[in-house]
Amino acid sequence: MREVNVSEITSNIKEMCIEANHYLSPDMKKVFQEAVESEKSSLGKQVLDQLNENLDIAAADMIPICQDTGMAVVFINVGQDVHLVGGDITDAINEGVRQGYVEGYLRKSVVSDPIIRENTKDNTPAVIHYGIVPGDKVEITVAPKGFGSENMSRVFMLKPADGIEGVKEAILTAVKDAGPNACPPMVVGVGVGGTFEQCALLAKKALTRNLEEESPIEYVRELEAEMLEKINALGIGPGGLGGTKTALAVNVETYPTHIAGLPVGINICCHVNRHAHRVI
Amino acid sequence: MDRHINAPISDEDAKNLRAGDYVYITGTIYTARDAAHKRMAEALAAGEKLPIDMEGTIIYYMGPSPAREGRPIGSAGPTTASRMDKYAPDLLDLGLKGMIGKGKRSQSVQDAIVRNGAVYFAAVGGAGALLSKRILASEVIAYDDLGTEAIRKLEVEDFPVIVVIDSEGNNLYETVVKEF
């Protein structure tokens, strides 16, 4: 049994909130550069150049890449052989978010109640997804999510008869509806299977998947490539101002499902697709 | 084409801008997003005066991140404009001449833009750090308790935007997508 003090989780989450909001992750940087080089529209290219310059300014001057520094989504996988000490794990995570957003000059975008809508002034609480996994490590992913793109995300409860063609149509529908609202070029996270809530969670997880890692399932890899091509043929382009780069990546995750269903969750993200990952 | 205009914006400038123009704005603009619009709508319904004069005004749909020491503002890019669609036609009818945001607008907003000779600009979504460099001064002038959603008076210099909907009702989002 390995002891991990929750204060270590707090300090890591604080740093990860600040890191994700100021620096593009290396995998995103690579696909973004490819987009800058291949965009065919001159206005689209101008938008990508502006976004590129924005990334340089954000890192050099410590100004968040986007003013919407998001609601903090935290995935935490705790090894079965870890004994967490020093306090409540949920409090420790929220304390990390609080410190990151207050001390890191990040925007406080969370309201305490969806109807009463009073700002909590420290961006807490986070949305936390816990997992218990083998081993003695704690694996954390912090993915601050802006709502320009989150608002354009969808869940479709398809029928088994709709099959893979139905999945493709659902993805294209969501991306077309999102259009210029979701700060394209987008990253599209897709969850297929499971239940109503599971497909949405898979879609969110798909966004945090390192773009250099491939799906082990052949038809999923083909679906991702085909959808990326079809999305880019929509013409929405960078900033929605027309062009050949509407999406930078399509990541699909799957899960077993019920004989009667084909749930599809589509989580849309902007070109920054903020995520920071650490193992303690 | 590239154009330079001053804010507040004159009727003539607003009428002459065309969808697709790349525009640099210099002068005074105001920020307001969801919560501030809701309050302004409540003020109008109660017969009260608005905290800003709408005549010739440009509203920027934006809620900044906090400013670091020595800077006027933090990251400052546009938010999705359609959330303000419910409120925009009334403000346009009161003289509002320009809106800066990102994303699609409703038909009723487009109609109000044409009716009032106004213009809808898009700034590049996600370019908040770059755009903050074109803001020289920022001051909260109303609804301070709303935090990032307060109404701010901004002094901007060569603030880069693109005309999406012009006073004739041309819509860049609809025309450009067909080209690719």
Side-chain angles (χ1 to χ4, degrees):
Chain A
M1 200 62 123
R2 174 178 167 237
E3 278 198 356
V4 174
N5 195 298
V6 293
S7 65
E8 207 180 328
I9 290 169
T10 297
S11 58
N12 274 284
I13 286 184
K14 172 192 170 181
E15 289 168 12
M16 290 161 85
C17 288
I18 296 171
E19 178 190 318
N21 272 299
H22 290 85
Y23 308 101
L24 201 61
S25 62
D27 58 323
M28 283 304 303
K29 198 171 266 180
K30 200 171 153 222
V31 292
F32 188 79
Q33 288 308 329
E34 285 164 10
V36 172
E37 284 153 29
S38 66
E39 174 57 56
K40 292 192 174 67
S41 146
S42 61
L43 191 52
K45 180 129 188 19
Q46 208 169 338
V47 170
L48 290 176
D49 286 342
Q50 222 184 87
L51 292 174
N52 212 8
E53 193 186 341
N54 183 66
L55 292 168
D56 292 342
I57 293 171
D61 294 354
M62 286 306 280
I63 303 170
I65 296 168
C66 177
Q67 74 291 337
D68 184 354
T69 52
M71 186 164 194
V73 177
V74 177
F75 289 96
I76 181 160
N77 287 329
V78 181
Q80 278 171 226
D81 298 326
V82 172
H83 180 205
L84 294 170
V85 297
D88 180 314
I89 177 69
T90 302
D91 289 348
I93 293 168
N94 280 319
E95 182 57 26
V97 170
R98 180 179 295 114
Q99 289 178 14
Y101 276 74
V102 172
E103 294 171 35
Y105 294 86
L106 303 178
R107 196 178 79 179
K108 289 72 179 176
S109 310
V110 174
V111 291
S112 60
D113 180 281
I115 301 300
I116 298 166
R117 306 197 77 83
E118 258 180 47
N119 198 299
T120 62
K121 297 191 168 68
D122 59 10
N123 222 54
T124 65
V127 172
I128 308 169
H129 302 289
Y130 294 96
I132 300 173
V133 296
D136 64 354
K137 304 276 191 263
V138 178
E139 186 193 3
I140 306 171
T141 301
V142 175
K145 190 67 169 75
F147 261 55
S149 54
E150 192 74 354
N151 280 337
M152 307 317 290
S153 302
R154 302 281 297 273
V155 167
F156 295 85
M157 298 304 285
L158 300 181
K159 296 175 182 68
D162 295 327
I164 196 158
E165 292 308 318
V167 174
K168 291 176 191 172
E169 199 184 314
I171 296 170
L172 283 181
T173 300
V175 170
K176 263 191 246 172
D177 288 350
N181 293 29
C183 296
M186 323 166 190
V187 177
V188 183
V190 183
V192 184
T195 47
F196 176 75
E197 85 287 6
Q198 174 76 344
C199 74
L201 187 56
L202 282 174
K204 179 75 74 193
K205 272 191 188 157
L207 287 176
T208 66
R209 189 175 92 201
N210 190 312
L211 295 177
E212 283 166 7
E213 285 169 20
E214 282 198 325
S215 168
I217 306 166
E218 194 187 349
Y219 87 83
V220 171
R221 290 197 299 275
E222 287 168 7
L223 177 66
E224 289 173 347
E226 182 186 339
M227 292 320 293
L228 184 59
E229 203 183 313
K230 286 200 166 134
I231 289 168
N232 284 334
L234 291 174
I236 295 166
L241 298 169
T244 54
K245 279 288 170 189
T246 300
L248 299 171
V250 179
N251 281 359
V252 180
E253 294 288 326
T254 60
Y255 194 81
T257 190
H258 189 277
I259 50 172
L262 176 50
V264 182
I266 298 156
N267 198 190
I268 296 191
C269 202
C270 67
H271 67 281
V272 187
N273 189 25
R274 293 170 290 212
H275 54 273
H277 182 254
R278 287 188 189 181
V279 178
I280 299 170
Chain B
M1 76 188 270
D2 280 11
R3 290 173 183 265
H4 291 260
I5 63 161
N6 291 318
I9 183 171
S10 68
D11 288 358
E12 200 188 337
D13 277 349
K15 279 214 166 67
N16 287 337
L17 293 172
R18 283 294 156 263
D21 284 352
Y22 208 92
V23 181
Y24 296 91
I25 302 173
T26 297
T28 304
I29 64 175
Y30 294 88
T31 69
R33 43 172 293 155
D34 309 58
H37 274 82
K38 184 164 183 274
R39 278 210 193 159
M40 285 196 283
E42 286 163 358
L44 287 175
E48 292 162 12
K49 204 168 162 274
L50 293 180
I52 46 177
D53 179 8
M54 286 296 150
E55 199 56 51
T57 290
I58 296 176
I59 288 183
Y60 184 18
Y61 299 143
M62 191 276 286
S65 65
R68 284 185 183 269
E69 289 77 10
R71 295 203 186 122
I73 203 158
S75 195
T79 197
T80 307
S82 59
R83 295 196 316 273
M84 270 55 77
D85 282 357
K86 186 179 164 187
Y87 310 109
D90 284 347
L91 299 181
L92 287 160
D93 289 339
L94 286 172
L96 176 69
K97 272 284 177 293
M99 298 157 287
I100 307 170
K102 65 172 165 98
K104 303 167 198 170
R105 306 306 303 262
S106 68
Q107 189 60 47
S108 68
V109 172
Q110 184 149 328
D111 293 346
I113 288 171
V114 174
R115 181 164 74 236
N116 293 290
V119 59
Y120 170 54
F121 303 101
V124 172
L130 177 139
L131 292 168
S132 76
K133 298 282 185 179
R134 308 295 177 90
I135 298 171
L136 308 181
S138 164
E139 179 196 353
V140 172
I141 55 129
Y143 311 150
D144 196 13
D145 61 300
L146 294 179
T148 186
E149 294 205 71
I151 294 183
R152 287 173 169 78
K153 180 182 176 183
L154 304 181
E155 298 303 327
V156 297
E157 188 174 69
D158 289 332
F159 192 85
V161 294
I162 295 154
V163 178
V164 171
I165 304 175
D166 65 27
S167 59
E168 290 182 351
N170 301 303
N171 188 328
L172 184 67
Y173 287 144
E174 287 164 14
T175 53
V176 285
V177 167
K178 293 188 186 119
E179 291 171 25
F180 291 93

Coordinates of all heavy atoms in Angstrom, one line a residue, chain B residues 27-98:
Chain B
G27 N -11.6 53.4 -30.7 CA -12.5 54.2 -29.9 C -13.1 53.5 -28.7 O -12.4 52.7 -28.1
T28 N -14.3 53.9 -28.4 CA -14.9 53.4 -27.2 C -16.0 52.4 -27.5 O -16.9 52.7 -28.3 CB -15.6 54.5 -26.4 OG1 -14.6 55.5 -26.1 CG2 -16.2 54.1 -25.1
I29 N -15.9 51.2 -26.9 CA -17.0 50.2 -27.1 C -17.3 49.7 -25.7 O -16.6 50.0 -24.7 CB -16.6 49.0 -28.0 CG1 -15.4 48.2 -27.4 CG2 -16.2 49.5 -29.4 CD1 -15.0 46.9 -28.2
Y30 N -18.4 48.9 -25.5 CA -18.9 48.4 -24.2 C -19.0 46.9 -24.3 O -19.5 46.4 -25.3 CB -20.2 49.1 -23.8 CG -20.1 50.6 -23.6 CD1 -20.2 51.5 -24.7 CD2 -19.8 51.1 -22.3 CE1 -20.1 52.8 -24.5 CE2 -19.7 52.4 -22.1 CZ -19.8 53.3 -23.2 OH -19.7 54.7 -23.0
T31 N -18.7 46.3 -23.1 CA -19.0 44.8 -23.1 C -20.3 44.6 -22.4 O -20.7 45.3 -21.5 CB -17.9 44.1 -22.2 OG1 -18.1 44.5 -20.8 CG2 -16.5 44.4 -22.7
A32 N -21.0 43.5 -22.8 CA -22.2 43.0 -22.1 C -22.4 41.6 -22.6 O -22.2 41.4 -23.8 CB -23.4 43.9 -22.4
R33 N -22.7 40.7 -21.7 CA -23.1 39.4 -22.1 C -24.4 38.9 -21.4 O -25.1 39.8 -21.0 CB -21.9 38.4 -22.0 CG -21.1 38.5 -20.7 CD -20.1 37.4 -20.6 NE -20.8 36.1 -20.4 CZ -20.3 34.9 -20.8 NH1 -19.1 34.8 -21.3 NH2 -21.0 33.8 -20.5
D34 N -24.6 37.7 -21.2 CA -25.9 37.1 -20.8 C -26.5 37.9 -19.6 O -27.6 38.5 -19.8 CB -25.8 35.7 -20.4 CG -25.1 34.8 -21.4 OD1 -23.9 35.2 -21.8 OD2 -25.7 33.8 -21.9
A35 N -25.8 37.9 -18.5 CA -26.5 38.5 -17.3 C -26.7 40.0 -17.4 O -27.7 40.5 -16.9 CB -25.6 38.2 -16.1
A36 N -25.8 40.7 -18.0 CA -26.0 42.2 -18.2 C -27.1 42.5 -19.2 O -27.9 43.4 -18.9 CB -24.7 42.8 -18.8
H37 N -27.3 41.6 -20.2 CA -28.4 41.8 -21.1 C -29.8 41.6 -20.4 O -30.7 42.3 -20.6 CB -28.3 40.9 -22.3 CG -27.5 41.5 -23.4 ND1 -26.1 41.4 -23.4 CD2 -27.8 42.2 -24.6 CE1 -25.6 42.1 -24.5 NE2 -26.7 42.5 -25.2
K38 N -29.8 40.6 -19.5 CA -31.0 40.3 -18.8 C -31.4 41.5 -17.9 O -32.5 41.9 -17.9 CB -30.8 39.0 -17.9 CG -32.0 38.5 -17.2 CD -31.7 37.1 -16.7 CE -33.0 36.6 -16.0 NZ -33.0 36.9 -14.5
R39 N -30.3 42.0 -17.3 CA -30.6 43.2 -16.4 C -31.1 44.4 -17.2 O -32.0 45.2 -16.8 CB -29.4 43.6 -15.6 CG -29.3 42.7 -14.4 CD -28.6 43.4 -13.3 NE -28.2 42.4 -12.3 CZ -27.3 42.6 -11.4 NH1 -26.6 43.7 -11.3 NH2 -27.1 41.6 -10.5
M40 N -30.5 44.6 -18.4 CA -30.9 45.8 -19.2 C -32.3 45.6 -19.7 O -33.1 46.5 -19.7 CB -30.0 45.9 -20.4 CG -28.6 46.5 -20.0 SD -27.7 47.2 -21.4 CE -27.0 45.7 -22.1
A41 N -32.7 44.3 -20.0 CA -34.1 44.0 -20.4 C -35.0 44.3 -19.3 O -36.1 44.9 -19.5 CB -34.2 42.6 -20.9
E42 N -34.6 43.9 -18.1 CA -35.5 44.2 -16.9 C -35.6 45.7 -16.6 O -36.7 46.1 -16.3 CB -34.9 43.5 -15.7 CG -35.1 41.9 -15.7 CD -34.2 41.2 -14.7 OE1 -33.4 41.8 -14.0 OE2 -34.3 39.9 -14.7
A43 N -34.5 46.4 -16.9 CA -34.6 47.9 -16.7 C -35.6 48.5 -17.7 O -36.4 49.3 -17.3 CB -33.2 48.5 -16.8
L44 N -35.5 48.1 -18.9 CA -36.4 48.6 -20.0 C -37.8 48.3 -19.6 O -38.7 49.1 -19.8 CB -36.0 48.0 -21.3 CG -34.7 48.6 -22.0 CD1 -34.5 47.8 -23.3 CD2 -34.8 50.1 -22.3
A45 N -38.1 47.0 -19.2 CA -39.4 46.6 -18.8 C -40.0 47.4 -17.7 O -41.2 47.7 -17.6 CB -39.5 45.1 -18.5
A46 N -39.1 47.9 -16.8 CA -39.5 48.7 -15.6 C -39.6 50.2 -16.0 O -39.8 51.0 -15.1 CB -38.6 48.4 -14.4
G47 N -39.3 50.5 -17.2 CA -39.3 51.9 -17.6 C -38.1 52.7 -17.1 O -38.1 53.9 -17.1
E48 N -37.0 52.0 -16.7 CA -35.8 52.7 -16.2 C -34.8 53.0 -17.4 O -34.9 52.4 -18.4 CB -35.1 51.8 -15.2 CG -35.9 51.6 -13.9 CD -35.5 50.4 -13.1 OE1 -34.4 49.9 -13.3 OE2 -36.2 50.1 -12.1
K49 N -33.9 53.9 -17.0 CA -32.8 54.2 -18.0 C -31.8 53.2 -18.1 O -31.4 52.6 -17.1 CB -32.2 55.6 -17.6 CG -31.6 56.4 -18.6 CD -31.3 57.8 -18.1 CE -30.3 58.5 -19.0 NZ -28.9 58.2 -18.7
L50 N -31.2 52.9 -19.3 CA -30.1 51.9 -19.4 C -28.8 52.6 -18.9 O -28.6 53.8 -19.0 CB -30.0 51.5 -20.8 CG -31.1 50.7 -21.4 CD1 -30.8 50.3 -22.9 CD2 -31.4 49.4 -20.6
P51 N -27.9 51.8 -18.4 CA -26.6 52.3 -17.9 C -25.7 52.9 -19.0 O -24.8 53.6 -18.7 CB -25.9 51.1 -17.2 CG -26.6 49.9 -17.8 CD -28.0 50.3 -18.2
I52 N -26.0 52.5 -20.3 CA -25.2 53.1 -21.4 C -26.2 53.6 -22.5 O -27.2 53.0 -22.7 CB -24.2 52.1 -22.0 CG1 -24.9 50.7 -22.3 CG2 -23.0 51.9 -21.2 CD1 -24.0 49.7 -23.0
D53 N -25.7 54.7 -23.1 CA -26.5 55.3 -24.2 C -26.3 54.4 -25.4 O -25.2 54.1 -25.8 CB -26.0 56.7 -24.4 CG -26.8 57.4 -25.6 OD1 -27.8 56.8 -26.1 OD2 -26.4 58.5 -26.0
M54 N -27.4 53.9 -26.0 CA -27.3 53.0 -27.2 C -26.9 53.7 -28.5 O -26.5 53.0 -29.4 CB -28.6 52.2 -27.3 CG -28.8 51.1 -26.3 SD -27.5 49.8 -26.3 CE -27.4 49.4 -24.6
E55 N -27.1 55.0 -28.6 CA -27.0 55.7 -29.9 C -25.5 55.5 -30.4 O -24.6 56.0 -29.9 CB -27.3 57.2 -29.7 CG -27.6 57.9 -30.9 CD -28.8 57.3 -31.7 OE1 -29.9 57.0 -31.2 OE2 -28.5 57.0 -32.9
G56 N -25.5 54.8 -31.5 CA -24.1 54.6 -32.2 C -23.2 53.7 -31.5 O -22.0 53.5 -31.9
T57 N -23.7 53.0 -30.5 CA -22.8 52.2 -29.6 C -22.5 50.8 -30.3 O -23.3 50.3 -31.0 CB -23.5 52.0 -28.3 OG1 -23.5 53.2 -27.6 CG2 -22.8 50.9 -27.4
I58 N -21.3 50.4 -30.0 CA -20.9 49.0 -30.3 C -20.8 48.2 -29.0 O -20.1 48.6 -28.1 CB -19.6 48.9 -31.1 CG1 -19.7 49.6 -32.4 CG2 -19.2 47.5 -31.3 CD1 -18.4 49.7 -33.2
I59 N -21.6 47.1 -28.9 CA -21.5 46.2 -27.8 C -20.6 45.0 -28.1 O -20.8 44.4 -29.2 CB -22.9 45.7 -27.3 CG1 -23.6 46.9 -26.6 CG2 -22.7 44.6 -26.3 CD1 -24.9 46.5 -26.0
Y60 N -19.7 44.7 -27.3 CA -18.8 43.5 -27.5 C -19.3 42.4 -26.5 O -19.3 42.6 -25.3 CB -17.4 43.9 -27.2 CG -16.3 42.9 -27.4 CD1 -16.5 41.7 -28.1 CD2 -15.0 43.0 -26.8 CE1 -15.5 40.8 -28.3 CE2 -14.0 42.1 -27.0 CZ -14.3 41.0 -27.8 OH -13.3 40.0 -28.0
Y61 N -19.7 41.3 -27.1 CA -20.2 40.2 -26.2 C -18.9 39.5 -25.7 O -18.4 38.6 -26.3 CB -21.0 39.2 -27.1 CG -22.3 39.8 -27.7 CD1 -22.7 39.4 -28.9 CD2 -23.0 40.7 -27.0 CE1 -23.8 39.9 -29.5 CE2 -24.2 41.2 -27.5 CZ -24.6 40.8 -28.8 OH -25.7 41.3 -29.4
M62 N -18.6 39.9 -24.5 CA -17.3 39.4 -23.9 C -17.3 39.5 -22.4 O -17.7 40.5 -21.8 CB -16.2 40.2 -24.5 CG -14.7 39.7 -24.3 SD -14.0 40.2 -22.7 CE -13.7 42.0 -23.1
G63 N -16.7 38.5 -21.8 CA -16.5 38.5 -20.3 C -15.0 38.1 -20.1 O -14.6 37.0 -20.3
P64 N -14.2 39.1 -19.7 CA -12.7 38.8 -19.7 C -12.3 38.0 -18.5 O -13.0 37.8 -17.5 CB -12.1 40.3 -19.5 CG -13.2 41.0 -18.7 CD -14.5 40.5 -19.2
S65 N -11.1 37.4 -18.7 CA -10.4 36.8 -17.5 C -9.8 38.0 -16.7 O -9.6 39.0 -17.3 CB -9.4 35.7 -17.9 OG -8.3 36.3 -18.6
P66 N -9.4 37.7 -15.4 CA -8.9 38.8 -14.6 C -7.6 39.4 -15.2 O -6.8 38.6 -15.7 CB -8.7 38.2 -13.2 CG -9.5 37.0 -13.2 CD -9.6 36.5 -14.6
A67 N -7.3 40.7 -15.0 CA -6.1 41.3 -15.5 C -5.0 41.0 -14.5 O -5.2 41.1 -13.3 CB -6.3 42.8 -15.6
R68 N -3.8 40.7 -15.0 CA -2.6 40.7 -14.2 C -2.2 42.1 -13.9 O -2.6 43.1 -14.6 CB -1.5 40.0 -14.9 CG -1.7 38.4 -14.9 CD -0.5 37.7 -15.5 NE -0.7 36.3 -15.5 CZ -0.4 35.4 -14.5 NH1 0.2 35.9 -13.5 NH2 -0.7 34.2 -14.6
E69 N -1.3 42.3 -12.9 CA -0.9 43.7 -12.5 C -0.3 44.4 -13.7 O 0.5 43.8 -14.4 CB 0.2 43.6 -11.4 CG -0.3 43.2 -10.0 CD -0.6 41.6 -9.9 OE1 -0.2 40.9 -10.8 OE2 -1.2 41.2 -8.9
G70 N -0.6 45.7 -13.8 CA -0.1 46.5 -14.9 C -0.7 46.3 -16.2 O -0.3 47.0 -17.2
R71 N -1.7 45.5 -16.3 CA -2.4 45.3 -17.6 C -3.9 45.8 -17.5 O -4.5 45.6 -16.4 CB -2.4 43.8 -18.0 CG -1.0 43.3 -18.3 CD -1.1 42.1 -19.2 NE 0.2 41.5 -19.3 CZ 0.6 40.3 -19.0 NH1 -0.4 39.4 -18.6 NH2 1.8 39.8 -19.1
P72 N -4.4 46.3 -18.6 CA -5.8 46.8 -18.5 C -6.9 45.7 -18.4 O -7.9 45.9 -17.8 CB -6.0 47.6 -19.8 CG -5.0 47.0 -20.7 CD -3.8 46.6 -19.9
I73 N -6.5 44.5 -18.9 CA -7.5 43.4 -19.0 C -6.8 42.1 -19.1 O -5.7 42.0 -19.5 CB -8.5 43.7 -20.1 CG1 -9.9 43.1 -20.0 CG2 -7.9 43.4 -21.5 CD1 -11.0 43.7 -20.7
G74 N -7.5 41.0 -18.9 CA -7.0 39.7 -19.1 C -7.4 39.2 -20.5 O -7.5 40.1 -21.4
S75 N -7.5 37.9 -20.7 CA -7.9 37.4 -22.0 C -9.3 37.9 -22.4 O -10.1 38.0 -21.5 CB -7.9 35.9 -22.0 OG -7.9 35.3 -23.2
A76 N -9.5 38.3 -23.7 CA -10.7 39.1 -24.0 C -11.2 38.8 -25.4 O -11.4 39.7 -26.2 CB -10.4 40.6 -23.8
G77 N -11.6 37.5 -25.6 CA -12.2 37.1 -26.9 C -13.7 37.1 -26.8 O -14.3 37.2 -25.8
P78 N -14.3 36.9 -28.0 CA -15.8 37.0 -28.1 C -16.5 35.8 -27.6 O -15.9 34.7 -27.6 CB -16.0 37.1 -29.6 CG -14.9 36.3 -30.2 CD -13.7 36.6 -29.3
T79 N -17.7 35.9 -27.1 CA -18.5 34.8 -26.7 C -19.6 34.6 -27.7 O -19.8 35.4 -28.6 CB -19.1 35.0 -25.3 OG1 -19.5 33.7 -24.8 CG2 -20.2 36.0 -25.2
T80 N -20.3 33.5 -27.6 CA -21.3 33.1 -28.6 C -22.5 34.1 -28.6 O -23.1 34.3 -27.6 CB -21.8 31.7 -28.4 OG1 -20.7 30.8 -28.3 CG2 -22.8 31.2 -29.5
A81 N -22.7 34.7 -29.8 CA -23.7 35.8 -29.8 C -25.1 35.4 -29.7 O -26.0 36.1 -29.2 CB -23.5 36.6 -31.1
S82 N -25.4 34.2 -30.1 CA -26.9 33.8 -30.2 C -27.5 33.8 -28.9 O -28.8 33.9 -28.8 CB -27.0 32.4 -30.8 OG -26.2 31.4 -30.1
R83 N -26.8 33.7 -27.8 CA -27.4 33.8 -26.5 C -28.0 35.2 -26.2 O -28.8 35.3 -25.2 CB -26.4 33.3 -25.4 CG -26.0 31.9 -25.5 CD -25.3 31.4 -24.2 NE -24.4 32.4 -23.7 CZ -23.1 32.5 -24.1 NH1 -22.6 31.6 -24.9 NH2 -22.4 33.5 -23.6
M84 N -27.6 36.1 -26.9 CA -28.1 37.5 -26.7 C -29.2 37.8 -27.7 O -29.7 39.0 -27.8 CB -26.9 38.5 -26.8 CG -26.2 38.8 -25.5 SD -25.6 37.4 -24.6 CE -24.1 37.0 -25.6
D85 N -29.5 36.9 -28.6 CA -30.5 37.1 -29.6 C -31.9 37.6 -29.1 O -32.6 38.4 -29.7 CB -30.8 35.8 -30.5 CG -29.6 35.6 -31.5 OD1 -28.7 36.5 -31.5 OD2 -29.7 34.6 -32.2
K86 N -32.2 37.1 -27.9 CA -33.5 37.4 -27.3 C -33.6 38.9 -27.0 O -34.6 39.5 -27.0 CB -33.6 36.6 -26.0 CG -34.9 36.7 -25.3 CD -34.9 35.8 -24.0 CE -36.0 36.1 -23.1 NZ -35.9 35.4 -21.8
Y87 N -32.4 39.5 -26.7 CA -32.4 40.9 -26.2 C -32.0 41.9 -27.3 O -32.3 43.1 -27.2 CB -31.4 41.0 -25.0 CG -31.6 40.0 -23.9 CD1 -30.7 39.0 -23.7 CD2 -32.7 40.1 -23.1 CE1 -30.8 38.0 -22.7 CE2 -32.8 39.2 -22.0 CZ -31.9 38.1 -21.9 OH -32.1 37.2 -20.9
A88 N -31.2 41.4 -28.3 CA -30.6 42.4 -29.2 C -31.6 43.2 -30.0 O -31.3 44.4 -30.2 CB -29.7 41.6 -30.2
P89 N -32.7 42.7 -30.5 CA -33.6 43.5 -31.4 C -34.1 44.8 -30.6 O -34.1 45.9 -31.2 CB -34.8 42.6 -31.7 CG -34.2 41.3 -31.7 CD -33.2 41.3 -30.6
D90 N -34.4 44.7 -29.4 CA -34.9 45.9 -28.6 C -33.8 46.9 -28.5 O -34.0 48.1 -28.6 CB -35.3 45.5 -27.2 CG -36.7 44.8 -27.2 OD1 -37.4 44.9 -28.2 OD2 -37.1 44.2 -26.2
L91 N -32.5 46.5 -28.3 CA -31.4 47.4 -28.2 C -31.1 48.0 -29.5 O -30.8 49.2 -29.6 CB -30.2 46.7 -27.6 CG -30.3 46.1 -26.2 CD1 -29.0 45.4 -25.8 CD2 -30.8 47.1 -25.2
L92 N -31.2 47.3 -30.6 CA -31.0 47.8 -31.9 C -32.0 48.9 -32.2 O -31.7 49.9 -32.8 CB -31.0 46.7 -33.0 CG -29.8 45.8 -33.0 CD1 -30.2 44.4 -33.7 CD2 -28.6 46.4 -33.7
D93 N -33.3 48.7 -31.8 CA -34.3 49.7 -32.0 C -34.1 50.9 -31.2 O -34.6 52.0 -31.5 CB -35.7 49.1 -31.7 CG -36.1 48.0 -32.8 OD1 -35.6 48.1 -33.9 OD2 -37.0 47.2 -32.5
L94 N -33.2 50.8 -30.2 CA -32.9 52.0 -29.3 C -31.6 52.7 -29.9 O -31.2 53.6 -29.2 CB -32.7 51.6 -27.9 CG -33.9 51.2 -27.1 CD1 -33.6 50.6 -25.7 CD2 -34.8 52.4 -26.9
G95 N -31.1 52.2 -31.0 CA -29.9 52.9 -31.5 C -28.6 52.2 -31.5 O -27.6 52.6 -32.1
L96 N -28.6 51.0 -30.9 CA -27.4 50.1 -31.0 C -27.0 49.9 -32.4 O -27.8 49.5 -33.2 CB -27.7 48.8 -30.3 CG -26.5 47.8 -30.3 CD1 -25.4 48.2 -29.4 CD2 -27.0 46.4 -29.8
K97 N -25.7 50.2 -32.7 CA -25.3 50.1 -34.2 C -24.4 49.0 -34.5 O -24.3 48.6 -35.7 CB -24.6 51.4 -34.6 CG -25.5 52.5 -35.0 CD -26.0 52.3 -36.4 CE -27.0 53.3 -37.0 NZ -28.3 53.3 -36.3
G98 N -23.8 48.4 -33.5 CA -22.8 47.3 -33.8 C -22.8 46.3 -32.7 O -22.9 46.7 -31.5

